[in-house]
Amino acid sequence: MSEAGGRGCGSPVPQRARWRLVAATAAFCLVSATSVWTAGAEPMSREEKQKLGNQVLEMFDHAYGNYMEHAYPADELMPLTCRGRVRGQEPSRGDVDDALGKFSLTLIDSLDTLVVLNKTKEFEDAVRKVLRDVNLDNDVVVSVFETNIRVLGGLLGGHSLAIMLKEKGEYMQWYNDELLQMAKQLGYKLLPAFNTTSGLPYPRINLKFGIRKPEARTGTETDTCTACAGTLILEFAALSRFTGATIFEEYARKALDFLWEKRQRSSNLVGVTINIHTGDWVRKDSGVGAGIDSYYEYLLKAYVLLGDDSFLERFNTHYDAIMRYISQPPLLLDVHIHKPMLNARTWMDALLAFFPGLQVLKGDIRPAIETHEMLYQVIKKHNFLPEAFTTDFRVHWAQHPLRPEFAESTYFLYKATGDPYYLEVGKTLIENLNKYARVPCGFAAMKDVRTGSHEDRMDSFFLAEMFKYLYLLFADKEDIIFDIEDYIFTTEAHLLPLWLSTTNQSISKKNTTSEYTELDDSNFDWTCPNTQILFPNDPLYAQSIREPLKNVVDKSCPRGIIRVEESFRSGAKPPLRARDFMATNPEHLEILKKMGVSLIHLKDGRVQLVQHAIQAASSIDAEDGLRFMQEMIELSSQQQKEQQLPPRAVQIVSHPFFGRVVLTAGPAQFGLDLSKHKETRGFVASSKPSNGCSELTNPEAVMGKIALIQRGQCMFAEKARNIQNAGAIGGIVIDDNEGSSSDTAPLFQMAGDGKDTDDIKIPMLFLFSKEGSIILDAIREYEEVEVLLSDKAKDRDPEMENEEQPSSENDSQNQSGEQISSSSQEVDLVDQESSEENSLNSHPESLSLADMDNAASISPSEQTSNPTENHETTNLNGECTDLDNQLQEQSETEEDSNPNVSWGKKVQPIDSILADWNEDIEAFEMMEKDEL
Ligand code: DMJ
């Protein structure tokens, strides 16, 4: 049994008494994974764990070293251009930039990670740098939430470990609470934000001028997110208890009290956004991800750190509501606070990946295992967790800023179960980071997980959290120089000592609005996880929960999930779901009528749905009708998205790029479909005329190559035909609007010319001007530039780097071996002026809101079809098959059997990758600078 268990959790006392003990000593209740299962996933040897731990250390050095070398004292590293991100000197990214206060954010956020990773010497240096260089009095408007969790939390975590080291007697002997003094200075700077009648803080503050002064440039906001107002108590209470200045804990408690008072009383849920003056909910949707996440986390952790029962009571009340309405295992879906049976979305965001970790702390392991398993399958499909994904696991928002939440949950699940499966999960995370996110100057956020393209961004939380959790996952107790179980992790993974619970306690009850009531025993059920209690003699417990979910993503069957969930909730016949609706089914029409929904046949053949709640048979039917209409609207927008083609990738594969430069490209509605076929690879050549609008005058130059054509003057399809006639094996159209970039403009697909485009056989992709100029510059510099056109960036194959470059002259076949036949078909120019593109967002609406009275219309083609039919079919056994997956499997099989496609099949040691990279790092950096 671990020490924490020995302190209370593992002792054979009734649960309530056990919690009392925990509350009194505030011992962190997680147990260590000291035992390793002997069944299920193969146990991992100590050597393998050490190897992976060392790999994490090497990766941290790569990220931190590059930040210190190329970015410090800037807030963050820009890993593609290898420089610091200084606010005001880069184009604004909106709210994301509010984390940057010109206070060397990444250094402060990394402080306690250095100690966890056993880099004590570096920690000592880093603390000296913070004390010497960091200024907290800058004229910058920052986010109160981000500054609290990253900077105040970073300083307090640094202070906590500095005093621990000092006490040990070797390092930090000179330290005299200087980090704490800085934390206090920062705490006072944040306090003016709380000057509202509600006690909820303003979302932003000027570090130098506060809120009110005219120079502050802030203070006019009326709303804040629930997490923004509810994620202060750990840092503020720690600051109060470390310093004796009670005001911080008081302010944070007051904000929490106000949120609690404002919870929706019948559902016990909170909304995403609240008015800081009136306390009205501005956004009434409710989930456990973005906007709310750490509010729940801090209620439970405040109980653990401060031992105050009222926080546990609040957490448990919310948790019951979450499990009742939001949790639809393995999914966690947002609902409306007033109508919690009504889903507010059909997609989930990546931030909710922290929730299984919190459920471990709560002691509710089963749903934690289920959700984590679902998330892992999404990761296996896309290499990373996309910022948002749908209930049938398609990408909703494709970026991934190297978020740590999933690693966090993996660590906590391993601690709770000891199941080596979670070590394998961690190993995959490490591999994916090195394979897809690592660049010569650090780790770059993914701009699009589908294409593998990067963003010039490495957020500070990557160092604060990701490496900490990954290192701890593989570390044994003796690998860490202090006892991690004496600390609690803040939401940014900063460490606060549990002994704070017994220090300066007098402030804890001052000025709070909620009344203390004696809690009944149910509040203490399962809140102290203990593997001995949770899984008595059952080493296969976690595996047995995962097993039924093994293929939940690959064989996604969302309707099945909803049916189970529905019947689970009511035991009655489930209401009609929009996705099941068929306008020709008399039974469905009857149900519509009961729900107050009428069908109107429009003159143009479309059908409109209108709901009048008053015409419903009962209030429950009216509610079902409302939900049905909302689902219809969601389905409509989903359908529109489904009709859109996902972005494609242009990857430069020749020396010195070797696949590292991946450009996000727009697809074409004609020509070779790269998602169904193997990629096309070839050298590039500029066409003459450059716009490709007439027969090419340089066919010998483009023959067997990928032709570069400038946008404009004629239809995309015409350009494609002209270069195909000249013998090109593919085409890249480059935007003629100078400065355009996929970073700032929405991608679109190139439309045909309104005629049959079956004659166009070659693949065509579109690049905005910035991305296109990278290729043009590369030609100027290296003459021979080879690219790969595909639906997704391919892994770099080291052998390609040594391979002799094939002669471009002879390469008249595309990668799939298909001979491209030239076509001599002539095509008329069609309406040059009438925009040659078809914006991804401009599909004709097949279902749209018709009036303010909850109306929607569906086109005739959809009247008899299931809207999800394009993506799934149900066989007679009720099993679901996902056509997308079938296609993917098919293309994977093709890749397997294709000797030309060898990328991604080999594992290369990191050292050798680094050595290779160093060779051409200069050229690469130069090109990457141009990209941005
Ligand atoms: C971190 O800054 C914190 O974990 C925060 O609570 C939300 N998520 C980011 C990282 O994704």
Side-chain angles (χ1 to χ4, degrees):
M1 200 59 231
S2 72
E3 258 188 58
R7 252 185 246 116
C9 295
S11 50
V13 290
Q15 294 219 349
R16 181 176 180 122
R18 196 164 52 244
W19 257 120
R20 288 290 179 211
L21 186 57
V22 168
T25 61
F28 189 31
C29 277
L30 280 174
V31 291
S32 290
T34 46
S35 60
V36 173
W37 298 136
T38 49
E42 284 295 306
M44 192 179 270
S45 68
R46 172 122 174 88
E47 294 68 51
E48 171 85 348
K49 281 174 69 181
Q50 264 170 355
K51 203 177 114 208
L52 289 163
N54 288 336
Q55 222 174 322
V56 176
L57 292 177
E58 187 280 328
M59 291 162 72
F60 174 81
D61 288 344
H62 181 64
Y64 182 71
N66 274 295
Y67 164 73
M68 291 308 288
E69 190 178 339
H70 301 290
Y72 182 77
D75 282 318
E76 284 180 347
L77 171 70
M78 297 173 75
L80 298 182
T81 48
C82 213
R83 62 199 161 105
R85 181 181 295 281
V86 179
R87 209 164 153 192
Q89 288 180 18
E90 303 295 331
S92 166
R93 301 174 300 169
D95 291 355
V96 185
D97 282 342
D98 289 344
L100 314 177
K102 299 189 176 177
F103 36 34
S104 302
L105 175 66
T106 302
L107 180 67
I108 293 178
D109 228 2
S110 303
L111 286 179
D112 51 10
T113 307
L114 288 164
V115 185
V116 173
L117 269 53
N118 232 328
K119 295 179 179 294
T120 326
K121 176 77 191 52
E122 288 90 332
F123 172 71
E124 192 145 4
D125 289 348
V127 174
R128 285 188 198 279
K129 285 201 173 73
V130 170
L131 302 180
R132 187 191 67 197
D133 300 339
V134 172
N135 177 17
L136 297 172
D137 197 39
N138 300 310
D139 177 13
V140 189
V141 175
V142 293
S143 151
V144 172
F145 165 79
E146 298 291 359
T147 307
N148 173 59
I149 65 167
R150 303 199 204 192
V151 186
L152 188 56
L155 292 169
L156 291 170
H159 170 70
S160 304
L161 298 190
I163 54 177
M164 176 277 295
L165 286 170
K166 187 176 180 183
E167 205 178 302
K168 277 184 183 280
E170 194 183 341
Y171 292 95
M172 300 300 290
Q173 295 307 301
W174 53 270
Y175 182 71
N176 220 356
D177 292 351
E178 289 89 344
L179 289 177
L180 182 60
Q181 293 318 314
M182 281 183 80
K184 195 170 168 187
Q185 188 198 347
L186 182 60
Y188 279 118
K189 284 191 166 295
L190 296 181
L191 284 188
F194 293 79
N195 194 2
T196 58
T197 42
S198 65
L200 298 178
Y202 280 94
R204 277 178 277 273
I205 194 159
N206 185 305
L207 283 175
K208 193 179 180 71
F209 298 111
I211 296 277
R212 288 283 153 89
K213 293 210 181 103
E215 306 95 303
R217 304 187 305 278
T218 190
T220 51
E221 299 95 334
T222 52
D223 311 331
T224 196
C225 74
T226 300
C228 302
T231 311
L232 296 148
I233 186 70
L234 294 187
E235 292 82 2
F236 274 46
L239 185 56
S240 284
R241 291 180 182 218
F242 270 132
T243 61
T246 59
I247 190 164
F248 304 108
E249 185 170 338
E250 281 164 29
Y251 275 36
R253 279 179 180 265
K254 208 175 149 214
L256 276 181
D257 290 346
F258 190 83
L259 287 174
W260 174 245
E261 291 298 314
K262 289 291 166 187
R263 74 193 181 281
Q264 210 290 321
R265 297 300 174 114
S266 55
S267 67
N268 281 322
L269 291 171
V270 289
V272 171
T273 317
I274 190 166
N275 184 307
I276 53 175
H277 304 299
T278 63
D280 293 338
W281 290 109
V282 179
R283 271 186 56 190
K284 301 183 181 77
D285 41 328
S286 184
V288 296
I292 302 184
D293 47 4
S294 44
Y295 161 64
Y296 294 136
E297 178 184 359
Y298 270 35
L299 284 179
L300 183 56
K301 289 185 176 176
Y303 171 64
V304 176
L305 181 68
L306 308 174
D308 183 336
D309 284 359
S310 68
F311 291 129
L312 179 64
E313 186 192 19
R314 291 179 196 180
F315 174 79
N316 282 342
T317 306
H318 286 311
Y319 189 78
D320 279 353
I322 291 166
M323 296 315 283
R324 188 184 302 258
Y325 304 119
I326 293 167
S327 170
Q328 301 173 24
L331 312 182
L332 289 160
L333 277 181
D334 286 20
V335 299
H336 293 276
I337 54 173
H338 293 98
K339 294 187 187 296
M341 297 300 280
L342 207 61
N343 286 343
R345 285 180 192 167
T346 54
W347 48 273
M348 291 165 273
D349 62 61
L351 286 164
L352 61 74
F354 90 103
F355 199 67
L358 189 65
Q359 288 180 307
V360 169
L361 186 58
K362 156 78 183 158
D364 203 0
I365 307 287
R366 170 182 277 275
I369 292 170
E370 289 170 335
T371 300
H372 180 276
E373 178 58 22
M374 176 272 289
L375 295 169
Y376 185 42
Q377 288 179 33
V378 177
I379 288 173
K380 283 198 280 191
K381 195 166 176 172
H382 303 292
N383 303 321
F384 298 98
L385 202 56
E387 272 297 74
F389 52 95
T390 61
T391 47
D392 48 355
F393 312 111
R394 281 170 295 126
V395 171
H396 188 66
W397 295 335
Q399 67 273 33
H400 169 76
L402 309 182
R403 289 198 188 279
E405 283 77 4
F406 182 77
E408 174 183 352
S409 284
T410 305
Y411 164 65
F412 286 113
L413 269 168
Y414 179 61
K415 293 279 279 181
T417 64
D419 186 341
Y421 175 80
Y422 296 109
L423 297 176
E424 296 297 334
V425 172
K427 189 176 170 185
T428 306
L429 299 183
I430 290 175
E431 283 168 2
N432 288 351
L433 282 170
N434 278 324
K435 215 161 154 185
Y436 304 110
R438 190 174 180 132
V439 292
C441 202
F443 289 84
M446 305 308 293
K447 183 171 172 183
D448 190 323
V449 295
R450 295 165 298 185
T451 62
S453 54
H454 289 142
E455 238 184 292
D456 201 3
R457 161 175 185 191
M458 185 178 84
D459 287 76
S460 69
F461 52 67
F462 184 55
L463 287 98
E465 299 191 60
M466 183 71 90
F467 295 111
K468 219 178 256 159
Y469 288 124
L470 286 177
Y471 184 73
L472 288 170
L473 178 65
F474 298 107
D476 285 330
K477 212 171 167 52
E478 55 274 20
D479 296 328
I480 305 161
I481 53 177
F482 61 100
D483 189 347
I484 197 80
E485 292 178 16
D486 288 338
Y487 296 80
I488 192 162
F489 293 90
T490 68
T491 192
E492 188 79 357
H494 292 307
L495 295 171
L496 298 175
L498 290 165
W499 55 256
L500 285 175
S501 66
T502 49
T503 310
N504 285 322
Q505 274 175 302
S506 53
I507 44 180
S508 62
K509 287 278 171 283
K510 253 163 81 183
N511 292 335
T512 55
T513 53
S514 68
E515 280 169 25
Y516 177 74
T517 43
E518 182 72 6
L519 298 190
D520 70 52
D521 281 356
S522 65
N523 278 290
F524 302 91
D525 284 347
W526 300 108
T527 34
C528 188
N530 179 318
T531 51
Q532 286 189 356
I533 295 170
L534 289 169
F535 323 121
N537 306 318
D538 186 2
L540 288 172
Y541 178 81
Q543 202 203 352
S544 69
I545 295 172
R546 284 194 305 269
E547 194 56 30
L549 297 166
K550 218 168 59 193
N551 297 317
V552 72
V553 168
D554 268 350
K555 302 238 161 36
S556 99
C557 181
R559 283 191 294 157
I561 290 167
I562 284 165
R563 273 200 216 104
V564 171
E565 169 238 320
E566 283 299 328
S567 49
F568 173 76
R569 278 178 179 170
S570 62
K573 194 173 177 197
L576 178 63
R577 309 303 298 239
R579 61 176 75 218
D580 296 327
F581 173 69
M582 286 191 288
T584 50
N585 183 329
E587 202 190 333
H588 287 180
L589 296 176
E590 195 50 41
I591 299 173
L592 283 198
K593 212 168 146 194
K594 266 184 83 187
M595 296 193 299
V597 178
S598 31
L599 259 185
I600 302 165
H601 292 271
L602 301 176
K603 274 195 198 133
D604 61 5
R606 289 182 306 148
V607 174
Q608 188 178 57
L609 297 174
V610 181
Q611 195 215 14
H612 296 284
I614 205 158
Q615 290 170 6
S618 68
S619 59
I620 293 179
D621 289 311
E623 195 174 309
D624 283 347
L626 184 67
R627 176 168 69 174
F628 176 84
M629 295 299 286
Q630 297 216 348
E631 283 181 359
M632 264 298 178
I633 291 161
E634 283 258 14
L635 271 177
S636 141
S637 65
Q638 241 184 56
Q639 275 183 303
Q640 284 169 37
K641 279 201 201 106
E642 280 162 12
Q643 288 161 18
Q644 297 165 6
L645 298 176
R648 305 279 186 247
V650 174
Q651 193 170 12
I652 312 183
V653 293
S654 51
H655 175 87
F657 308 97
F658 300 123
R660 279 175 219 123
V661 176
V662 183
L663 309 169
T664 301
Q669 289 175 345
F670 52 84
L672 187 84
D673 181 352
L674 290 163
S675 69
K676 293 198 184 121
H677 296 76
K678 289 172 280 294
E679 61 274 0
T680 292
R681 180 175 176 156
F683 286 87
V684 294
S686 300
S687 56
K688 283 188 187 149
S690 59
N691 60 26
C693 288
S694 55
E695 192 180 327
L696 262 50
T697 56
N698 63 339
E700 69 295 340
V702 300
M703 167 76 79
K705 295 192 182 171
I706 292 172
L708 302 179
I709 328 132
Q710 206 178 33
R711 182 184 184 185
Q713 310 292 313
C714 61
M715 306 294 286
F716 290 125
E718 188 177 357
K719 294 173 194 285
R721 290 191 177 99
N722 284 328
I723 62 166
Q724 181 172 284
N725 289 347
I729 60 169
I732 300 174
V733 179
I734 298 176
D735 196 9
D736 56 345
N737 293 313
E738 217 182 303
S740 67
S741 161
S742 65
D743 280 340
T744 47
L747 265 185
F748 62 83
Q749 43 185 302
M750 295 183 283
D753 53 7
K755 299 182 192 148
D756 186 358
T757 49
D758 283 355
D759 59 307
I760 302 174
K761 305 286 184 207
I762 59 174
M764 294 289 293
L765 292 183
F766 176 88
L767 287 180
F768 280 111
S769 133
K770 267 197 168 174
E771 285 83 10
S773 64
I774 291 173
I775 297 188
L776 297 173
D777 289 348
I779 299 179
R780 272 191 282 283
E781 181 104 359
Y782 303 103
E783 288 174 18
E784 299 270 82
V785 174
E786 193 179 18
V787 299
L788 186 76
L789 312 183
S790 64
D791 64 333
K792 200 181 197 144
K794 300 291 175 281
D795 299 341
R796 297 180 287 271
D797 182 348
E799 277 185 15
M800 298 304 295
E801 302 182 13
N802 302 325
E803 205 177 77
E804 225 173 272
Q805 294 176 8
S807 154
S808 56
E809 301 299 324
N810 299 332
D811 192 8
S812 61
Q813 289 190 328
N814 70 2
Q815 193 66 14
S816 65
E818 285 167 343
Q819 188 77 43
I820 300 298
S821 57
S822 15
S823 154
S824 58
Q825 200 175 332
E826 284 193 8
V827 183
D828 292 337
L829 185 71
V830 181
D831 190 12
Q832 284 186 21
E833 290 298 282
S834 74
S835 157
E836 52 188 3
E837 73 246 21
N838 178 11
S839 161
L840 281 180
N841 300 319
S842 69
H843 283 278
E845 287 204 338
S846 56
L847 186 153
S848 60
L849 263 185
D851 60 30
M852 297 297 287
D853 196 18
N854 271 330
S857 60
I858 53 174
S859 64
S861 61
E862 280 138 11
Q863 286 177 39
T864 53
S865 67
N866 179 335
T868 58
E869 250 171 26
N870 288 339
H871 290 269
E872 62 180 65
T873 54
T874 307
N875 68 22
L876 288 176
N877 297 325
E879 288 166 1
C880 287
T881 27
D882 183 329
L883 290 185
D884 282 344
N885 283 321
Q886 283 177 0
L887 285 175
Q888 192 180 323
E889 276 161 25
Q890 194 182 325
S891 73
E892 275 162 12
T893 326
E894 282 168 13
E895 274 188 22
D896 286 347
S897 60
N898 181 358
N900 291 327
V901 186
S902 57
W903 293 20
K905 299 270 185 317
K906 298 191 183 74
V907 182
Q908 190 193 13
I910 283 300
D911 288 347
S912 114
I913 292 176
L914 275 175
D916 289 342
W917 278 2
N918 284 337
E919 189 193 315
D920 49 64
I921 198 165
E922 264 181 36
F924 173 64
E925 280 170 7
M926 196 186 70
M927 297 308 295
E928 291 284 20
K929 261 178 208 153
D930 289 342
E931 184 179 7
L932 290 127

